[in-house]
Amino acid sequence: MVLPQPSPSVERWVAGLWPGSAAFPSTRPGLASPMVKVPGRVLPLWLVAVPSAWVLGEVAPDRDEEEAGTKKSNVLATQYGFFTKGRKKGQPSLAETEGEPESSPRLPAQLPTVEELKADLERGRLEAAGPLLALELELQEAAAAGLASEEELVRRQSEVEALYALLRDQVLGLLRRPLEAAPERLRQALAVLAEQERQDRAAAAAAAAAGPPGCPGLAATRPRGWLQLWRDGVAQAAAERLSRRPAADAEGRTEAERAFLHMGRTVKEDLEAVVERLKPLSPADFSVVAAYAESYHAEFAAQLAALTQLELCPRDTSMLLVWVQNLYPNDILNSPKLSPELQGVRLGTLLPQTQISLLEASFLSNEVAIVRKWMARALELESERWTKDEAPQRLDGRCHSELAIDIIQLISQVHENTKSITLDLGTQIKPFLLEELARFLRSYQRAFDEFLERCRQLRNYRANVIANINNCLPFRTSVEQQWQTRPDLRSSLLRPLNALQSRGFDTLLQSLFGDLKPLFKRFTQTRWAAPQQTLEEILSIVDKRMPEFSELQDCFQEELLEAVHLHLVKEYITRLCKRRLVLKTAEQQQQLAGLVQANAQHIQQFCAQSGSRATWLHHALPTLAEIIRLQDPSAIKIKVAMYAILYPDFSKDHLSAILAIKGNLSSSDTKSIRSVLDSNTGAHEPSKALFSLIKFKAPVVTFNPPDNDL
């Protein structure tokens, strides 16, 4: 029976690794041919043409060994006598070639005994694999030729199988812990494994081609399946390596975190060692890197699956997702050393997608709850500082609070950490975080309102008000520039900030406006020519009080000055409308218009020099002065229409109060002018309020003042 020849790739690989193979044709005489024939069989040259001393790695036997060789020959003849029992005199033995040219290599005179092979294998000498295979093949030849009894065949086969068990344990033991073995030992173990796989394939091919081989008296031992045993051993080694309990560290990690770190580090280091040390020694069709990667991946996944069945704390849930979605696929499998080797290896994710989705939902809920908790705690601590009358910090001469920075950093950090897991998860959590921020800002506004009402007598009251107004800047900047949000959410974020700032401004300006109130009343209590001095006094008081607001941020100083500017214009219009003044002649109306124009210019100039950028107020008083000055109803109507565009909250009541000053205007003309606002009513919502802040009804004029009442 002739065994099928192995594939060229495996044969060349074995020849390149095994001592005495075709890779060493010039080192021993008579090894020029890689294959020789024995009766009915083609055998690898290294199995039949290498003396046992060479196979054991010796260069040449000395005299003592030659004497021992004689004894071995006698033992071999005794033990293998059943191979030649019953052979006729002159009949060639199985070790002799049959029908070969004289130049063909011949079998060695003897093979090592079973005891010698056993001793070699017990000492870990993998070189014994060659003679052992030769014994196996000779046993099969003897069985096929009927040269031994069934009992003798069973005995000899049991001895061969016992030797193979020793060899298997030696080979798989080395390959089970490849990182602890010397490279040459690994090379030998892999050569044995490759040869056994080649023999398994050859036996399977022969069985497929001609049916089971007829070897009466021998049990079928092929395929031995050592390659699968090796793969099973890899899986067992992966389980042992990854299931080791890591020692406690000094960094305060949880047990799950230590387990993740240990498993991830072990997978990465072991697979990189396989790539660097084991792959170069292995035949390509072993797919050694894929075998290790699949085993380690399966064990890692099994450990994580078991972990998900437990009740995980938020910290462990987060860490689990980090490993499953980021660290394992990116930092381990996609590392520079492993990524090229794992191309085409389908490992999949460590957990099924349904389980990942559940973990992500739990993670999002946990993170939002943590953010809510810490924001509430931060506000609580900040409120305590206010009520304890603690002075705020000063930073660059401005009142400063860390509250806004803490909240923004908290949200940004949670968002970035979530994005580091996956970008999609970062996108999912963003609206939740902004909703929590909006909820916090509403709570912040309520806490600030309570502080304003209850703590007026505290020494650091105004400083803390300023600090909280300054807090609005980083919040507003983050909302408008950093976090792109949908319009409704953006409004819900800015609304509490605007309300807080407005309440803060009202509180800071309350004292100033209180001081100005009696001065503005003089406009209705004296002749309109006299209030020029009153206006000078008003502006002087404002100028002296402005340093009180220097600890505001520059942008808020500008906005506060705009509020002062608005107050001056609003109060001036209020007094102009509320004064029961009726001028019957055009000359008187022009004189009043000139006074209003001059006062408007004075207010505008003062506010602009102080830093107000409320240019939208520039036309408020001058246009009213123009309405008072004009005499043609049509011209007045045009001016009123233009004025209503500039100030949509300019109502008919406000217009009536101004038109009441013009005593020479007929009721029909007044009605016609008022009708201009009919088409404008509700047409535009004012971007900024002016006339809506002036609440009164048009006065009922019952008298005309003297001509000199200006």
Side-chain angles (χ1 to χ4, degrees):
M1 178 178 63
V2 179
L3 292 178
Q5 296 301 305
S7 64
S9 62
V10 175
E11 185 66 33
R12 284 197 299 271
W13 184 86
V14 174
L17 293 178
W18 200 257
S21 68
F24 304 93
S26 61
T27 59
R28 295 289 184 266
L31 298 184
S33 175
M35 304 293 290
V36 297
K37 292 184 178 180
V38 296
R41 176 85 61 167
V42 178
L43 299 178
L45 177 61
W46 60 273
L47 290 178
V48 297
V50 182
S52 62
W54 295 1
V55 173
L56 295 179
E58 301 169 8
V59 177
D62 55 21
R63 181 173 300 173
D64 294 337
E65 290 173 337
E66 289 177 356
E67 295 176 357
T70 303
K71 297 179 181 179
K72 291 179 182 178
S73 177
N74 295 333
V75 173
L76 183 68
T78 301
Q79 292 183 348
Y80 288 87
F82 66 91
F83 288 150
T84 58
K85 186 176 181 181
R87 184 183 57 175
K88 295 180 180 179
K89 185 176 180 180
Q91 182 180 356
S93 67
L94 292 176
E96 296 173 347
T97 57
E98 184 175 358
E100 288 291 319
E102 293 183 358
S103 60
S104 300
R106 300 179 66 83
L107 288 171
Q110 63 182 15
L111 288 172
T113 67
V114 170
E115 287 76 10
E116 290 172 334
L117 289 176
K118 179 181 178 183
D120 288 340
L121 290 174
E122 287 176 342
R123 288 193 295 269
R125 294 184 176 180
L126 301 184
E127 297 90 339
L132 176 57
L133 181 57
L135 287 181
E136 180 189 12
L137 296 178
E138 276 200 338
L139 178 61
Q140 293 174 1
E141 291 290 345
L147 299 178
S149 67
E150 184 175 349
E151 292 78 7
E152 188 70 14
L153 291 176
V154 171
R155 183 182 66 80
R156 295 305 303 154
Q157 186 178 36
S158 65
E159 291 177 342
V160 170
E161 292 306 311
L163 293 177
Y164 265 119
L166 286 175
L167 178 62
R168 179 196 63 208
D169 293 343
Q170 289 287 342
V171 170
L172 297 182
L174 279 171
L175 296 180
R176 184 180 177 86
R177 294 177 176 84
L179 305 184
E180 302 172 7
E184 187 57 33
R185 295 281 288 164
L186 284 177
R187 186 185 297 272
Q188 291 176 340
L190 287 166
V192 174
L193 184 63
E195 177 59 26
Q196 289 299 313
E197 178 66 12
R198 188 182 75 86
Q199 293 295 328
D200 282 354
R201 292 177 181 175
C215 293
L218 293 182
T221 59
R222 297 283 180 183
R224 299 186 187 277
W226 285 16
L227 186 61
Q228 185 57 48
L229 291 176
W230 165 70
R231 291 195 174 104
D232 295 342
V234 171
Q236 294 174 6
E240 292 177 4
R241 295 275 294 161
L242 296 184
S243 62
R244 292 176 184 173
R245 178 167 298 189
D249 55 29
E251 300 184 19
R253 297 187 180 97
T254 66
E255 183 177 357
E257 287 173 336
R258 294 197 304 273
F260 292 147
L261 184 60
H262 160 71
M263 289 190 290
R265 182 180 294 165
T266 301
V267 170
K268 188 171 188 291
E269 292 176 354
D270 286 7
L271 291 185
E272 288 180 349
V274 167
V275 170
E276 293 173 355
R277 296 185 56 186
L278 199 55
K279 182 190 175 186
L281 307 177
S282 305
D285 55 356
F286 275 23
S287 302
V288 63
V289 177
Y292 273 86
E294 290 167 356
S295 294
Y296 274 75
H297 176 86
E299 181 60 26
F300 202 166
Q303 300 242 9
L304 294 189
L307 190 61
T308 59
Q309 302 305 313
L310 305 177
E311 186 174 352
L312 299 176
C313 67
R315 182 171 172 177
D316 289 343
T317 300
S318 174
M319 182 59 63
L320 182 57
L321 273 178
V322 168
W323 275 100
V324 171
Q325 297 285 70
N326 184 3
L327 296 182
Y328 180 74
N330 297 327
D331 291 8
I332 296 179
L333 300 185
N334 202 35
S335 64
K337 290 183 180 179
L338 297 181
S339 179
E341 306 295 335
L342 297 177
Q343 296 294 328
V345 180
R346 298 183 179 274
L347 297 179
T349 58
L350 286 172
L351 292 174
Q353 188 56 49
T354 54
Q355 187 67 48
I356 292 175
S357 298
L358 291 175
L359 286 172
E360 287 180 341
S362 178
F363 169 81
L364 292 175
S365 177
N366 291 337
E367 291 299 295
V368 170
I370 290 172
V371 167
R372 183 185 305 141
K373 173 185 174 181
W374 282 110
M375 288 197 298
R377 180 58 179 160
L379 180 57
E380 180 182 355
L381 293 175
E382 185 72 11
S383 301
E384 289 178 0
R385 284 192 287 268
W386 305 338
T387 57
K388 290 179 180 178
D389 201 23
E390 294 182 11
Q393 302 177 43
R394 258 70 176 187
L395 184 63
D396 297 330
R398 311 299 165 87
C399 292
H400 175 72
S401 168
E402 293 289 328
L403 178 63
I405 295 175
D406 292 342
I407 298 300
I408 293 170
Q409 286 183 346
L410 173 63
I411 293 178
S412 298
Q413 183 176 357
V414 171
H415 187 223
E416 290 301 320
N417 290 345
T418 306
K419 283 170 57 180
S420 70
I421 299 175
T422 64
L423 292 177
D424 179 66
L425 199 59
T427 301
Q428 290 182 50
I429 201 173
K430 181 179 176 181
F432 293 114
L433 293 176
L434 294 181
E435 290 287 355
E436 288 303 316
L437 177 59
R439 182 180 288 106
F440 164 81
L441 291 177
R442 292 192 292 270
S443 299
Y444 181 25
Q445 179 194 347
R446 289 193 296 270
F448 183 65
D449 289 343
E450 292 178 5
F451 166 70
L452 294 180
E453 295 297 329
R454 299 179 181 180
C455 303
R456 294 178 181 272
Q457 305 305 318
L458 297 180
R459 182 168 56 90
N460 292 302
Y461 177 75
R462 287 179 62 85
N464 278 313
V465 171
I466 291 175
N468 281 285
I469 294 174
N470 287 339
N471 262 342
C472 295
L473 178 59
F475 279 129
R476 185 180 295 169
T477 301
S478 296
V479 171
E480 295 178 343
Q481 299 179 13
Q482 179 180 351
W483 298 317
Q484 302 298 322
T485 62
R486 60 182 190 270
D488 60 326
L489 182 55
R490 183 173 182 272
S491 298
S492 67
L493 291 167
L494 293 177
R495 192 178 301 113
L497 295 174
N498 295 336
L500 187 151
Q501 177 184 328
S502 179
R503 282 296 307 277
F505 279 179
D506 290 345
T507 301
L508 294 178
L509 294 173
Q510 186 176 17
S511 175
L512 172 61
F513 291 169
D515 293 342
L516 298 181
K517 187 173 182 178
L519 295 177
F520 274 110
K521 284 186 176 180
R522 293 183 188 176
F523 282 104
T524 57
Q525 295 170 354
T526 62
R527 296 173 55 197
W528 272 93
Q532 183 67 28
Q533 182 179 356
T534 302
L535 182 61
E536 292 285 352
E537 189 174 350
I538 290 172
L539 298 181
S540 176
I541 292 175
V542 172
D543 187 51
K544 290 178 181 179
R545 298 284 295 274
M546 291 312 297
E548 296 177 8
F549 314 112
S550 61
E551 291 182 316
L552 284 167
Q553 294 288 350
D554 290 343
C555 62
F556 293 123
Q557 288 190 47
E558 293 177 1
E559 291 185 45
L560 184 132
L561 281 169
E562 181 176 345
V564 172
H565 191 172
L566 172 62
H567 182 77
L568 296 178
V569 172
K570 182 198 72 170
E571 288 298 314
Y572 193 96
I573 294 174
T574 300
R575 301 305 163 183
L576 182 62
C577 292
K578 283 189 175 182
R579 177 161 183 154
R580 296 177 178 271
L581 178 65
V582 178
L583 303 177
K584 295 193 302 181
T585 66
E587 182 180 356
Q588 291 173 330
Q589 294 170 19
Q590 291 175 1
Q591 184 180 1
L592 177 60
L595 290 173
V596 173
Q597 183 71 39
N599 289 337
Q601 186 175 0
H602 198 178
I603 292 172
Q604 177 181 329
Q605 195 172 41
F606 169 81
C607 292
Q609 291 176 351
S610 299
S612 171
R613 297 188 178 182
T615 56
W616 66 281
L617 291 172
H618 289 178
H619 298 283
L621 291 176
T623 304
L624 289 181
E626 276 296 294
I627 292 174
I628 295 173
R629 183 185 65 81
L630 291 172
Q631 300 300 310
D632 181 18
S634 298
I636 296 174
K637 290 170 67 175
I638 294 174
K639 189 61 68 174
V640 168
M642 295 174 58
Y643 197 65
I645 294 174
L646 294 174
Y647 306 100
D649 56 349
F650 183 57
S651 69
K652 289 185 176 182
D653 287 340
H654 300 112
L655 177 58
S656 297
I658 298 300
L659 295 179
I661 298 174
K662 303 174 70 66
N664 58 350
L665 198 64
S666 67
S667 58
S668 60
D669 289 338
T670 301
K671 184 177 180 181
S672 176
I673 294 171
R674 280 167 49 89
S675 66
V676 172
L677 298 180
D678 290 340
S679 60
N680 200 59
T681 301
H684 302 87
E685 288 294 329
S687 57
K688 295 184 178 181
L690 172 57
F691 285 93
S692 57
L693 302 176
I694 303 173
K695 304 295 183 182
F696 68 94
K697 289 187 177 181
V700 179
V701 180
T702 58
F703 68 97
N704 288 333
D707 291 349
N708 61 351
D709 197 27
L710 289 177

